[in-house]
Each structure stands twice: as C-alpha cells, then as structure tokens.
Amino acid sequence: MTLAIDRTSTPQPVETVAAQALPTVAGASLRVPLVTGGDIGYANLDHAASAPCLDSVRSAVDEFLPWYASVHRGAGFASQVSTKLYERTRDTLRRFVGARRTDTVVFTRNTTDSFNLLARSLPPRTAVVVFDTEHHAALLPWQGPNVRRLPTPRTRLAAVSAVDEGLAESPQGPRLVVITGASNVTGELLPVAEIAAVARKHGARIALDAAQLAPHRRVSIKELDVDYVAVSGHKLYAPFGAGALIGRADWLRAARPYLAGGGATKLVTEDAVVWNSGPERHEAGSPNTVGVYALGVACETLSRNWDAVEAHEQALLTRLRKGLESIPGCAELRLFDAPVDRVGTVSFVVDGFDPGWLAAVLSAEYGIGVRDGAFCAHIAARRLIGVTGGEGQQAVRVSLGLGSTEEHVDRVLLALRQIAARGARWEYTKVDGRWAPAGDTRELPPFC
C-alpha cells in the first residue's frame, strides 16, 4: 500500500513558493546599541562566517515544526512526513550542485564534518594534494606521509601547474585533489575546472570545498567535472546545523561507517553487525531533520534567484573595493597577482591599526559586524599579510551577502575614514585576548 500524503495539510514543497526578485533575510531590521549611546540598524558584513537565516527558510521551518518526528524508524504519520521531507532533500541537493544521477548525498553538520568523513573514507594509501592556504576544514583532515601541501600560487596558471606537478610526484595508487571554490580570506575564485582537467590526466579525483562558493554562485559537479562537493547550511542562509557531502558513492560505500550507531545498521547480532550501504551508512543516530529541510529550502530559494543574488552582490563588491582604495594605509589581501573573478569577500589591513581593535571599534561605535583574525586559514593569512606589509597574521574581513545593503557598505567606508583620521571616540581594553570597549554598560537581549 502506498501512502498518499495530503499536500494541503503538510508543508508545501518550496517550489510552489513564488519567486522573489531578491531573497530576504531574518534580522534585516535588527537594531543594536552603540557604546556611545542610542542604537542603529545592524550592518551585517560577516556573511562568510555565518549567513543570516532566509525568511523563506524561517517560514518553512515554522510550518514544518508541528510535523517534526523521527525519521526512517517511525510508524506514525508525522514520522512519514518527516522522512519524506528528509529524503526529498537529497534530490534538492543533487539539483543544487548539478550532481550526477548516481552521486550520493550524505548529510553532515558542515563542511568540516564532510571532509573529515571523506578523509575517513579514502582507500588505503591514497595520495592527497592540497594547497596549504586552504581553510582548515579542507586542510587539516588529511594527514600522513602521502599528503602533499602545495604553497600559495600567485597566478591561476601557477595553481594549475602546481597541482600537475604535485600529482606527478605523488605515489601511484588512488589520488585526491582538494581545492576550494572561493577563498574565504580574499573571495577570489580558484580555477576549479582547469585543475579538475589536470586531475583527470593523472587519474585523480577532486573534492571541492564549496562552503564559500555555493552561497554566491551556481555550482555544477558535472560542468566542473569534480567528484565531491561539500557545503555548509550556515553559510547558505540555513543556520540550523546541517551540511552535506555530495559525490561518488563507491569510496563512501566501501568505508567503515563514520559513526557507529542506530540508523547505520541493517542487522546487529551477538556476533556481527551488517551495515547499511547507502548514505545512511554514515548518518548514524537521529538525524538533524529540521536542519536538513532548512538547507534544502535555502538551496531551492537561491536556485530560483541566482541572477538577482549575483547582481546584488557584485554591485556592492565594486562599491566596497573602490571605497577601500581611498582609505589611507589600507591594503587589500589577494592570492593572485592579476585580478580574477571573486565573490563578495574582502580582507584588508590598515597601517597602524590592530585588526582586532579596528573590528571592535566598528562594532561598538558604528553598529557594524565584521570578522578579524586569520579566518581559520592561518597559513594563508600569515603569508598574504606578509606580502602586503602588515604585522602578525591578522586582518579585517568584510563579507557581503543578501543581508548587506549600500548603506552598510557606505557606513563601513565612512567609519574607516573617520577612524584613520581621528581614531576612536571610546577607550578600549583587551578582555580575554579580545578588544572590547572599556566600561561597556550595554545590555544584552533578555534571552541571553
């Protein structure tokens, strides 16, 4: 007997929602207190760390929550609804990344989790080639004598050549190239398709870190000719703790389960365990059904509005970079010597100003949220800041997205000019290693 779920009383497929010119986000009207008094609309310029929640995601999750129940192992009607939405999201993710029909989708927590899963699934003695300037999520899971870290390339051609040489010098056997789609430090796009072609020449597979690319640009496994793609929901405007690893099933099917527990098993006896062979092999325990559904809704929303998303971001990026050129002592970090295509992420240093102090002033006195530090890419930050003449390994990062506006960009540029000209209006001190306004009496929200 096939159960027919009534679509009028269960959460509707996101495809039925009317397309918007530009997707909106929760918190667009958020106001934050200033240390100097009063409050101001929050300028969220930290999308590369965690993007705000799409309004479409929030609405979909609110509609789904009454139906939330156990997945796969429940006989109740709500469990069947939850299971259907959970499994349907695998197809949503396949479409979102242009996957092959045979590609598997394993739900994870985030990109870090996805690459640790893939690292655990590599055949014995797999040689791994990776740039040392990757985000730690794509750099640290690969350990052992067969891992070859390549130094920062200065041109796109040099990046392709470095991978070619690295693979040529790697031991015979299974090989994997790990590459980011867009740098989380500079926003620059790496030559993924060209590197994939080199990988194919050497019989290697390629894993794409799309954490910073997928929220901003279309991604296609088939067009780029990559084998695996990892994405994070909290970068994709779905901050409910879900991510995914999408790609070829054979290595994942042959590997030991990532976690041992219920859901990953077909049969457990006193003497043996028979593991599942599908994606659930690596999804032991009760899954994050709400997070998975939220991720799927976010992907569908972005897929319907790519032209508007890209145009919005590129206009703001042009405005930001042009304005930074006029800031005295400001130097933008870049991987490549020549200009390349990029998403809306810009990192910079300003001569004479500690990046952590600068970020604290932007927050406390101007209501602007940016990131400071080394962005979980310490090798890249240290090397690039050295190139630009900064001290230490820290910088300030402004990252744009659907929650960013022209006013936000203009505000941060004006703030940087004022700080460069006259300094801060408030005294700051270090608290637990972080700069903070001295004597700050601002109250946190009641739920904190």
Side-chain angles (χ1 to χ4, degrees), residues 297-362:
V297 173
C299 290
E300 290 284 7
T301 302
L302 291 172
S303 294
R304 290 195 307 272
N305 296 282
W306 273 127
D307 291 342
V309 170
E310 292 181 23
H312 168 77
E313 180 181 309
Q314 289 303 306
L316 294 181
L317 178 61
T318 300
R319 193 183 192 95
L320 172 65
R321 297 187 69 203
K322 184 176 180 180
L324 287 175
E325 292 176 355
S326 67
I327 307 296
C330 182
E332 182 182 323
L333 307 188
R334 294 189 320 212
L335 283 174
F336 300 123
D337 294 332
V340 300
D341 193 11
R342 60 196 299 161
V343 299
T345 297
V346 178
S347 296
F348 57 89
V349 292
V350 181
D351 286 345
F353 293 96
D354 179 279
W357 178 89
L358 192 57
V361 176
L362 290 174

Side-chain angles (χ1 to χ4, degrees), residues 64-65 67-71 78-80 82-83 289:
F64 168 59
L65 282 176
W67 295 91
Y68 168 70
S70 63
V71 168
S79 290
Q80 295 177 54
S82 293
T83 299
T289 310

Side-chain angles (χ1 to χ4, degrees), residues 232-248:
S232 290
H234 74 104
K235 312 285 189 187
L236 279 163
Y237 304 95
F240 292 89
L245 176 68
I246 307 105
R248 300 194 183 278

Side-chain angles (χ1 to χ4, degrees), residues 112-277:
T112 302
D113 200 29
S114 294
F115 278 134
N116 276 273
L117 163 60
L118 183 58
R120 286 271 299 273
S121 303
L122 299 183
R125 296 179 295 280
T126 297
V128 177
V129 174
V130 58
F131 285 109
D132 63 7
T133 46
E134 294 282 344
H135 187 282
H136 295 166
L139 178 69
L140 299 181
W142 326 103
Q143 303 290 334
N146 288 340
V147 177
R148 183 178 181 85
R149 291 185 179 180
L150 306 176
T152 313
R154 296 305 305 172
T155 67
R156 288 169 60 89
L157 180 59
V160 177
S161 298
V163 172
D164 193 4
E165 294 174 7
L167 287 171
E169 297 171 1
S170 296
Q172 292 298 316
R175 298 173 181 180
L176 178 71
V177 177
V178 182
I179 187 72
T180 190
S183 168
N184 82 303
V185 178
T186 70
E188 292 164 292
L189 270 61
L190 278 290
V192 177
E194 293 88 339
I195 289 174
V198 166
R200 293 287 176 257
K201 183 181 73 172
H202 291 276
R205 296 191 181 190
I206 183 166
L208 173 64
D209 174 358
Q212 298 294 339
L213 181 63
H216 307 282
R217 300 291 178 86
R218 297 172 178 88
V219 175
S220 174
I221 284 179
K222 288 182 287 190
E223 292 180 11
L224 293 172
D225 195 22
V226 299
D227 298 278
Y228 304 95
V229 167
V231 296
S232 290
H234 74 104
K235 312 285 189 187
L236 279 163
Y237 304 95
F240 292 89
L245 176 68
I246 307 105
R248 300 194 183 278
D250 54 347
W251 285 2
L252 296 169
R253 188 185 302 118
R256 289 184 59 82
Y258 185 44
L259 297 172
T265 60
K266 282 185 177 180
L267 177 67
V268 179
T269 70
E270 291 82 354
D271 304 314
V273 178
V274 180
W275 302 101
N276 280 317
S277 59

Side-chain angles (χ1 to χ4, degrees), residues 154 185 331-334 347-351 355 373-375 377-396:
R154 296 305 305 172
V185 178
E332 182 182 323
L333 307 188
R334 294 189 320 212
S347 296
F348 57 89
V349 292
V350 181
D351 286 345
F375 320 120
H378 293 177
I379 297 174
R382 184 183 304 112
R383 193 165 293 161
L384 297 179
I385 292 169
V387 169
T388 62
E391 295 181 359
Q393 63 174 42
Q394 295 190 333
V396 175

